[in-house]
mmCIF file of all heavy atoms in Angstrom:
data_model
loop_
_atom_site.group_PDB
_atom_site.id
_atom_site.type_symbol
_atom_site.label_atom_id
_atom_site.label_comp_id
_atom_site.label_asym_id
_atom_site.label_seq_id
_atom_site.Cartn_x
_atom_site.Cartn_y
_atom_site.Cartn_z
ATOM 1 N N ALA A 812 -30.494 -15.351 -8.094
ATOM 2 C CA ALA A 812 -29.872 -16.502 -8.532
ATOM 3 C C ALA A 812 -29.726 -17.540 -7.447
ATOM 4 O O ALA A 812 -30.134 -18.719 -7.592
ATOM 5 C CB ALA A 812 -28.565 -16.197 -9.251
ATOM 6 N N LEU A 813 -29.486 -17.184 -6.264
ATOM 7 C CA LEU A 813 -29.340 -18.028 -5.078
ATOM 8 C C LEU A 813 -30.746 -18.600 -4.778
ATOM 9 O O LEU A 813 -30.897 -19.742 -4.464
ATOM 10 C CB LEU A 813 -28.690 -17.402 -3.915
ATOM 11 C CG LEU A 813 -27.161 -16.926 -4.034
ATOM 12 C CD1 LEU A 813 -26.737 -16.257 -2.739
ATOM 13 C CD2 LEU A 813 -26.307 -18.235 -4.231
ATOM 14 N N ALA A 814 -31.681 -17.687 -4.724
ATOM 15 C CA ALA A 814 -33.028 -18.019 -4.302
ATOM 16 C C ALA A 814 -33.562 -19.215 -5.269
ATOM 17 O O ALA A 814 -34.197 -20.097 -4.897
ATOM 18 C CB ALA A 814 -33.963 -16.903 -4.381
ATOM 19 N N CYS A 815 -33.277 -19.097 -6.538
ATOM 20 C CA CYS A 815 -33.608 -20.101 -7.546
ATOM 21 C C CYS A 815 -32.763 -21.299 -7.487
ATOM 22 O O CYS A 815 -33.044 -22.212 -8.376
ATOM 23 C CB CYS A 815 -33.548 -19.478 -8.910
ATOM 24 S SG CYS A 815 -34.797 -18.107 -9.191
ATOM 25 N N GLY A 816 -31.759 -21.339 -6.767
ATOM 26 C CA GLY A 816 -30.920 -22.595 -6.580
ATOM 27 C C GLY A 816 -29.808 -22.650 -7.567
ATOM 28 O O GLY A 816 -29.159 -23.738 -7.683
ATOM 29 N N CYS A 817 -29.440 -21.590 -8.207
ATOM 30 C CA CYS A 817 -28.305 -21.586 -9.098
ATOM 31 C C CYS A 817 -27.014 -21.395 -8.316
ATOM 32 O O CYS A 817 -27.040 -21.032 -7.157
ATOM 33 C CB CYS A 817 -28.403 -20.387 -10.055
ATOM 34 S SG CYS A 817 -29.871 -20.487 -11.049
ATOM 35 N N THR A 818 -25.923 -21.699 -9.023
ATOM 36 C CA THR A 818 -24.565 -21.228 -8.392
ATOM 37 C C THR A 818 -23.988 -20.229 -9.338
ATOM 38 O O THR A 818 -24.429 -20.027 -10.395
ATOM 39 C CB THR A 818 -23.658 -22.502 -8.381
ATOM 40 O OG1 THR A 818 -23.563 -23.076 -9.725
ATOM 41 C CG2 THR A 818 -24.152 -23.574 -7.419
ATOM 42 N N ILE A 819 -22.970 -19.574 -8.797
ATOM 43 C CA ILE A 819 -22.478 -18.290 -9.397
ATOM 44 C C ILE A 819 -21.012 -18.234 -9.561
ATOM 45 O O ILE A 819 -20.166 -18.558 -8.752
ATOM 46 C CB ILE A 819 -22.979 -17.090 -8.473
ATOM 47 C CG1 ILE A 819 -24.468 -16.945 -8.596
ATOM 48 C CG2 ILE A 819 -22.336 -15.784 -8.813
ATOM 49 C CD1 ILE A 819 -25.100 -16.638 -7.232
ATOM 50 N N VAL A 820 -20.659 -17.716 -10.750
ATOM 51 C CA VAL A 820 -19.272 -17.208 -10.991
ATOM 52 C C VAL A 820 -19.356 -15.758 -11.243
ATOM 53 O O VAL A 820 -19.871 -15.330 -12.212
ATOM 54 C CB VAL A 820 -18.485 -17.952 -12.077
ATOM 55 C CG1 VAL A 820 -17.135 -17.495 -12.177
ATOM 56 C CG2 VAL A 820 -18.578 -19.417 -11.874
ATOM 57 N N CYS A 821 -18.753 -14.924 -10.423
ATOM 58 C CA CYS A 821 -18.869 -13.517 -10.587
ATOM 59 C C CYS A 821 -17.564 -12.925 -11.081
ATOM 60 O O CYS A 821 -16.456 -13.328 -10.579
ATOM 61 C CB CYS A 821 -19.237 -12.850 -9.266
ATOM 62 S SG CYS A 821 -18.998 -11.151 -9.122
ATOM 63 N N LYS A 822 -17.628 -11.936 -11.970
ATOM 64 C CA LYS A 822 -16.465 -11.145 -12.335
ATOM 65 C C LYS A 822 -16.792 -9.692 -12.083
ATOM 66 O O LYS A 822 -17.506 -9.060 -12.726
ATOM 67 C CB LYS A 822 -16.156 -11.337 -13.838
ATOM 68 C CG LYS A 822 -14.836 -10.739 -14.143
ATOM 69 C CD LYS A 822 -14.760 -10.006 -15.459
ATOM 70 C CE LYS A 822 -14.650 -8.501 -15.458
ATOM 71 N NZ LYS A 822 -13.756 -7.821 -14.663
ATOM 72 N N PRO A 823 -16.189 -9.240 -10.909
ATOM 73 C CA PRO A 823 -16.377 -7.749 -10.659
ATOM 74 C C PRO A 823 -15.472 -7.013 -11.663
ATOM 75 O O PRO A 823 -14.650 -7.535 -12.313
ATOM 76 C CB PRO A 823 -15.787 -7.624 -9.192
ATOM 77 C CG PRO A 823 -15.263 -8.896 -8.867
ATOM 78 C CD PRO A 823 -15.225 -9.834 -9.966
ATOM 79 N N SER A 824 -15.761 -5.656 -11.742
ATOM 80 C CA SER A 824 -14.818 -4.855 -12.439
ATOM 81 C C SER A 824 -13.412 -4.997 -11.894
ATOM 82 O O SER A 824 -13.304 -5.040 -10.644
ATOM 83 C CB SER A 824 -15.241 -3.367 -12.425
ATOM 84 O OG SER A 824 -14.238 -2.544 -12.862
ATOM 85 N N GLU A 825 -12.394 -4.871 -12.777
ATOM 86 C CA GLU A 825 -11.015 -5.009 -12.101
ATOM 87 C C GLU A 825 -10.669 -3.761 -11.327
ATOM 88 O O GLU A 825 -9.678 -3.706 -10.660
ATOM 89 C CB GLU A 825 -10.044 -5.341 -13.184
ATOM 90 C CG GLU A 825 -9.286 -4.234 -13.862
ATOM 91 C CD GLU A 825 -10.127 -3.540 -15.021
ATOM 92 O OE1 GLU A 825 -11.251 -4.086 -15.224
ATOM 93 O OE2 GLU A 825 -9.539 -2.536 -15.526
ATOM 94 N N LEU A 826 -11.510 -2.738 -11.495
ATOM 95 C CA LEU A 826 -11.359 -1.488 -10.753
ATOM 96 C C LEU A 826 -11.897 -1.624 -9.212
ATOM 97 O O LEU A 826 -11.429 -0.931 -8.360
ATOM 98 C CB LEU A 826 -11.979 -0.244 -11.376
ATOM 99 C CG LEU A 826 -11.554 0.081 -12.757
ATOM 100 C CD1 LEU A 826 -12.364 1.112 -13.356
ATOM 101 C CD2 LEU A 826 -10.097 0.441 -12.805
ATOM 102 N N THR A 827 -12.867 -2.480 -9.111
ATOM 103 C CA THR A 827 -13.599 -2.617 -7.763
ATOM 104 C C THR A 827 -13.923 -3.935 -7.275
ATOM 105 O O THR A 827 -15.082 -4.312 -7.236
ATOM 106 C CB THR A 827 -14.915 -1.712 -7.903
ATOM 107 O OG1 THR A 827 -15.631 -2.281 -8.944
ATOM 108 C CG2 THR A 827 -14.661 -0.245 -8.092
ATOM 109 N N PRO A 828 -12.957 -4.765 -6.989
ATOM 110 C CA PRO A 828 -13.251 -6.200 -6.664
ATOM 111 C C PRO A 828 -13.457 -6.397 -5.220
ATOM 112 O O PRO A 828 -13.768 -7.524 -4.754
ATOM 113 C CB PRO A 828 -11.903 -6.897 -7.079
ATOM 114 C CG PRO A 828 -10.854 -5.766 -6.797
ATOM 115 C CD PRO A 828 -11.454 -4.491 -7.118
ATOM 116 N N LEU A 829 -13.192 -5.427 -4.311
ATOM 117 C CA LEU A 829 -13.093 -5.778 -2.926
ATOM 118 C C LEU A 829 -14.358 -6.260 -2.277
ATOM 119 O O LEU A 829 -14.380 -7.244 -1.465
ATOM 120 C CB LEU A 829 -12.633 -4.454 -2.107
ATOM 121 C CG LEU A 829 -11.201 -4.050 -2.468
ATOM 122 C CD1 LEU A 829 -10.902 -2.666 -1.774
ATOM 123 C CD2 LEU A 829 -10.174 -5.095 -2.157
ATOM 124 N N SER A 830 -15.478 -5.617 -2.545
ATOM 125 C CA SER A 830 -16.782 -6.014 -1.796
ATOM 126 C C SER A 830 -17.245 -7.404 -2.320
ATOM 127 O O SER A 830 -17.728 -8.173 -1.565
ATOM 128 C CB SER A 830 -17.846 -4.959 -1.984
ATOM 129 O OG SER A 830 -18.120 -4.733 -3.381
ATOM 130 N N ALA A 831 -17.009 -7.752 -3.580
ATOM 131 C CA ALA A 831 -17.453 -9.104 -4.027
ATOM 132 C C ALA A 831 -16.573 -10.140 -3.341
ATOM 133 O O ALA A 831 -17.083 -11.168 -2.940
ATOM 134 C CB ALA A 831 -17.239 -9.205 -5.575
ATOM 135 N N MET A 832 -15.332 -9.885 -3.190
ATOM 136 C CA MET A 832 -14.429 -10.834 -2.426
ATOM 137 C C MET A 832 -14.848 -10.981 -1.016
ATOM 138 O O MET A 832 -14.863 -12.090 -0.519
ATOM 139 C CB MET A 832 -12.951 -10.338 -2.547
ATOM 140 C CG MET A 832 -12.309 -10.539 -3.895
ATOM 141 S SD MET A 832 -12.239 -12.199 -4.526
ATOM 142 C CE MET A 832 -10.998 -12.885 -3.496
ATOM 143 N N ARG A 833 -15.182 -9.891 -0.316
ATOM 144 C CA ARG A 833 -15.537 -9.894 0.971
ATOM 145 C C ARG A 833 -16.829 -10.668 1.173
ATOM 146 O O ARG A 833 -17.015 -11.539 2.065
ATOM 147 C CB ARG A 833 -15.644 -8.498 1.614
ATOM 148 C CG ARG A 833 -16.001 -8.539 3.081
ATOM 149 C CD ARG A 833 -14.870 -8.993 3.950
ATOM 150 N NE ARG A 833 -15.269 -8.882 5.316
ATOM 151 C CZ ARG A 833 -14.322 -9.188 6.347
ATOM 152 N NH1 ARG A 833 -13.070 -9.615 5.929
ATOM 153 N NH2 ARG A 833 -14.681 -9.167 7.579
ATOM 154 N N LEU A 834 -17.839 -10.447 0.247
ATOM 155 C CA LEU A 834 -19.116 -11.157 0.333
ATOM 156 C C LEU A 834 -18.931 -12.646 0.181
ATOM 157 O O LEU A 834 -19.532 -13.501 0.802
ATOM 158 C CB LEU A 834 -19.999 -10.616 -0.745
ATOM 159 C CG LEU A 834 -21.492 -11.076 -0.684
ATOM 160 C CD1 LEU A 834 -22.124 -10.367 0.549
ATOM 161 C CD2 LEU A 834 -22.235 -10.853 -1.886
ATOM 162 N N ALA A 835 -18.004 -13.087 -0.671
ATOM 163 C CA ALA A 835 -17.772 -14.494 -0.918
ATOM 164 C C ALA A 835 -17.187 -15.063 0.364
ATOM 165 O O ALA A 835 -17.614 -16.212 0.750
ATOM 166 C CB ALA A 835 -16.830 -14.641 -2.093
ATOM 167 N N HIS A 836 -16.280 -14.432 1.000
ATOM 168 C CA HIS A 836 -15.723 -14.936 2.254
ATOM 169 C C HIS A 836 -16.898 -15.074 3.254
ATOM 170 O O HIS A 836 -16.949 -16.083 3.999
ATOM 171 C CB HIS A 836 -14.723 -13.896 2.851
ATOM 172 C CG HIS A 836 -13.318 -14.063 2.128
ATOM 173 N ND1 HIS A 836 -12.526 -15.106 2.639
ATOM 174 C CD2 HIS A 836 -12.724 -13.459 1.239
ATOM 175 C CE1 HIS A 836 -11.353 -15.001 1.997
ATOM 176 N NE2 HIS A 836 -11.522 -14.009 1.122
ATOM 177 N N LEU A 837 -17.794 -13.986 3.332
ATOM 178 C CA LEU A 837 -18.870 -14.040 4.284
ATOM 179 C C LEU A 837 -19.759 -15.186 4.029
ATOM 180 O O LEU A 837 -20.216 -15.943 4.978
ATOM 181 C CB LEU A 837 -19.732 -12.704 4.176
ATOM 182 C CG LEU A 837 -19.480 -11.523 4.997
ATOM 183 C CD1 LEU A 837 -20.594 -10.640 4.872
ATOM 184 C CD2 LEU A 837 -19.126 -11.801 6.356
ATOM 185 N N ALA A 838 -20.083 -15.493 2.793
ATOM 186 C CA ALA A 838 -20.927 -16.576 2.486
ATOM 187 C C ALA A 838 -20.375 -17.919 2.923
ATOM 188 O O ALA A 838 -21.129 -18.762 3.492
ATOM 189 C CB ALA A 838 -21.183 -16.660 0.906
ATOM 190 N N THR A 839 -19.133 -18.088 2.831
ATOM 191 C CA THR A 839 -18.518 -19.341 3.314
ATOM 192 C C THR A 839 -18.578 -19.340 4.893
ATOM 193 O O THR A 839 -18.865 -20.383 5.509
ATOM 194 C CB THR A 839 -17.060 -19.407 2.946
ATOM 195 O OG1 THR A 839 -16.997 -19.551 1.470
ATOM 196 C CG2 THR A 839 -16.344 -20.680 3.512
ATOM 197 N N ARG A 840 -18.426 -18.170 5.515
ATOM 198 C CA ARG A 840 -18.394 -18.114 6.892
ATOM 199 C C ARG A 840 -19.803 -18.481 7.469
ATOM 200 O O ARG A 840 -19.953 -19.123 8.481
ATOM 201 C CB ARG A 840 -17.998 -16.695 7.457
ATOM 202 C CG ARG A 840 -17.588 -16.710 8.848
ATOM 203 C CD ARG A 840 -17.767 -15.357 9.515
ATOM 204 N NE ARG A 840 -16.866 -14.376 8.887
ATOM 205 C CZ ARG A 840 -17.079 -13.005 9.024
ATOM 206 N NH1 ARG A 840 -18.214 -12.589 9.816
ATOM 207 N NH2 ARG A 840 -16.334 -12.166 8.472
ATOM 208 N N VAL A 841 -20.866 -18.070 6.775
ATOM 209 C CA VAL A 841 -22.191 -18.407 7.306
ATOM 210 C C VAL A 841 -22.797 -19.717 6.886
ATOM 211 O O VAL A 841 -23.880 -20.055 7.237
ATOM 212 C CB VAL A 841 -23.251 -17.350 6.893
ATOM 213 C CG1 VAL A 841 -22.854 -15.901 7.379
ATOM 214 C CG2 VAL A 841 -23.554 -17.304 5.361
ATOM 215 N N GLY A 842 -21.950 -20.500 6.123
ATOM 216 C CA GLY A 842 -22.350 -21.881 5.782
ATOM 217 C C GLY A 842 -22.671 -22.250 4.495
ATOM 218 O O GLY A 842 -23.148 -23.366 4.221
ATOM 219 N N PHE A 843 -22.555 -21.280 3.530
ATOM 220 C CA PHE A 843 -22.825 -21.801 2.122
ATOM 221 C C PHE A 843 -21.812 -22.855 1.685
ATOM 222 O O PHE A 843 -20.639 -22.723 2.000
ATOM 223 C CB PHE A 843 -22.618 -20.525 1.133
ATOM 224 C CG PHE A 843 -23.847 -19.687 1.006
ATOM 225 C CD1 PHE A 843 -24.118 -18.771 2.014
ATOM 226 C CD2 PHE A 843 -24.652 -19.810 -0.097
ATOM 227 C CE1 PHE A 843 -25.246 -17.915 1.877
ATOM 228 C CE2 PHE A 843 -25.809 -19.118 -0.207
ATOM 229 C CZ PHE A 843 -26.053 -18.144 0.717
ATOM 230 N N PRO A 844 -22.309 -23.906 1.025
ATOM 231 C CA PRO A 844 -21.398 -24.921 0.565
ATOM 232 C C PRO A 844 -20.373 -24.379 -0.388
ATOM 233 O O PRO A 844 -20.603 -23.365 -1.108
ATOM 234 C CB PRO A 844 -22.254 -25.942 -0.098
ATOM 235 C CG PRO A 844 -23.680 -25.644 0.361
ATOM 236 C CD PRO A 844 -23.735 -24.191 0.717
ATOM 237 N N ASP A 845 -19.211 -25.004 -0.384
ATOM 238 C CA ASP A 845 -18.127 -24.613 -1.339
ATOM 239 C C ASP A 845 -18.586 -24.650 -2.730
ATOM 240 O O ASP A 845 -19.465 -25.403 -3.256
ATOM 241 C CB ASP A 845 -16.947 -25.558 -1.241
ATOM 242 C CG ASP A 845 -16.258 -25.476 0.129
ATOM 243 O OD1 ASP A 845 -16.612 -24.601 0.879
ATOM 244 O OD2 ASP A 845 -15.403 -26.387 0.379
ATOM 245 N N GLY A 846 -18.189 -23.527 -3.471
ATOM 246 C CA GLY A 846 -18.504 -23.501 -4.964
ATOM 247 C C GLY A 846 -19.771 -22.882 -5.297
ATOM 248 O O GLY A 846 -20.047 -22.696 -6.540
ATOM 249 N N VAL A 847 -20.560 -22.447 -4.357
ATOM 250 C CA VAL A 847 -21.855 -21.839 -4.716
ATOM 251 C C VAL A 847 -21.565 -20.380 -5.153
ATOM 252 O O VAL A 847 -22.159 -19.947 -6.121
ATOM 253 C CB VAL A 847 -22.864 -21.868 -3.519
ATOM 254 C CG1 VAL A 847 -24.069 -21.072 -3.802
ATOM 255 C CG2 VAL A 847 -23.172 -23.243 -3.173
ATOM 256 N N ILE A 848 -20.640 -19.693 -4.568
ATOM 257 C CA ILE A 848 -20.391 -18.356 -4.960
ATOM 258 C C ILE A 848 -18.838 -18.333 -5.231
ATOM 259 O O ILE A 848 -18.108 -18.508 -4.372
ATOM 260 C CB ILE A 848 -20.687 -17.330 -3.834
ATOM 261 C CG1 ILE A 848 -22.175 -17.336 -3.560
ATOM 262 C CG2 ILE A 848 -20.280 -15.847 -4.311
ATOM 263 C CD1 ILE A 848 -22.552 -16.457 -2.360
ATOM 264 N N ASN A 849 -18.529 -18.053 -6.463
ATOM 265 C CA ASN A 849 -17.086 -17.898 -6.832
ATOM 266 C C ASN A 849 -16.886 -16.520 -7.444
ATOM 267 O O ASN A 849 -17.754 -16.008 -8.072
ATOM 268 C CB ASN A 849 -16.747 -18.968 -7.931
ATOM 269 C CG ASN A 849 -17.208 -20.385 -7.488
ATOM 270 O OD1 ASN A 849 -16.459 -21.088 -6.763
ATOM 271 N ND2 ASN A 849 -18.322 -20.742 -7.775
ATOM 272 N N VAL A 850 -15.615 -16.079 -7.212
ATOM 273 C CA VAL A 850 -15.247 -14.777 -7.795
ATOM 274 C C VAL A 850 -14.016 -14.933 -8.559
ATOM 275 O O VAL A 850 -12.924 -15.285 -8.020
ATOM 276 C CB VAL A 850 -15.127 -13.691 -6.727
ATOM 277 C CG1 VAL A 850 -14.735 -12.311 -7.397
ATOM 278 C CG2 VAL A 850 -16.393 -13.565 -5.863
ATOM 279 N N VAL A 851 -13.932 -14.580 -9.811
ATOM 280 C CA VAL A 851 -12.690 -14.546 -10.612
ATOM 281 C C VAL A 851 -12.311 -13.135 -10.959
ATOM 282 O O VAL A 851 -13.121 -12.446 -11.571
ATOM 283 C CB VAL A 851 -12.784 -15.468 -11.818
ATOM 284 C CG1 VAL A 851 -11.449 -15.577 -12.561
ATOM 285 C CG2 VAL A 851 -13.312 -16.816 -11.501
ATOM 286 N N ASN A 852 -11.102 -12.688 -10.610
ATOM 287 C CA ASN A 852 -10.727 -11.380 -10.782
ATOM 288 C C ASN A 852 -9.911 -11.220 -12.077
ATOM 289 O O ASN A 852 -9.285 -12.206 -12.492
ATOM 290 C CB ASN A 852 -9.986 -10.763 -9.637
ATOM 291 C CG ASN A 852 -10.862 -10.433 -8.574
ATOM 292 O OD1 ASN A 852 -11.779 -9.737 -8.748
ATOM 293 N ND2 ASN A 852 -10.740 -11.006 -7.406
ATOM 294 N N GLY A 853 -9.861 -10.025 -12.740
ATOM 295 C CA GLY A 853 -9.101 -9.829 -13.854
ATOM 296 C C GLY A 853 -9.757 -8.925 -14.850
ATOM 297 O O GLY A 853 -10.781 -8.377 -14.575
ATOM 298 N N PHE A 854 -9.108 -8.877 -15.972
ATOM 299 C CA PHE A 854 -9.737 -7.921 -17.046
ATOM 300 C C PHE A 854 -10.916 -8.501 -17.736
ATOM 301 O O PHE A 854 -11.108 -9.793 -17.984
ATOM 302 C CB PHE A 854 -8.598 -7.723 -18.065
ATOM 303 C CG PHE A 854 -7.538 -6.796 -17.584
ATOM 304 C CD1 PHE A 854 -6.260 -7.397 -17.325
ATOM 305 C CD2 PHE A 854 -7.640 -5.504 -17.332
ATOM 306 C CE1 PHE A 854 -5.191 -6.617 -16.880
ATOM 307 C CE2 PHE A 854 -6.658 -4.685 -16.778
ATOM 308 C CZ PHE A 854 -5.370 -5.312 -16.579
#
Side-chain angles (χ1 to χ4, degrees):
L813 292 176
C815 293
C817 297
T818 56
I819 289 144
V820 181
C821 165
K822 192 219 110 47
S824 166
E825 94 277 357
L826 300 174
T827 56
L829 296 175
S830 54
M832 287 299 285
R833 182 71 180 182
L834 190 74
H836 279 278
L837 271 195
T839 295
R840 200 205 295 163
V841 302
F843 274 79
D845 293 349
V847 176
I848 300 174
N849 306 276
V850 180
V851 185
N852 283 308
F854 290 108

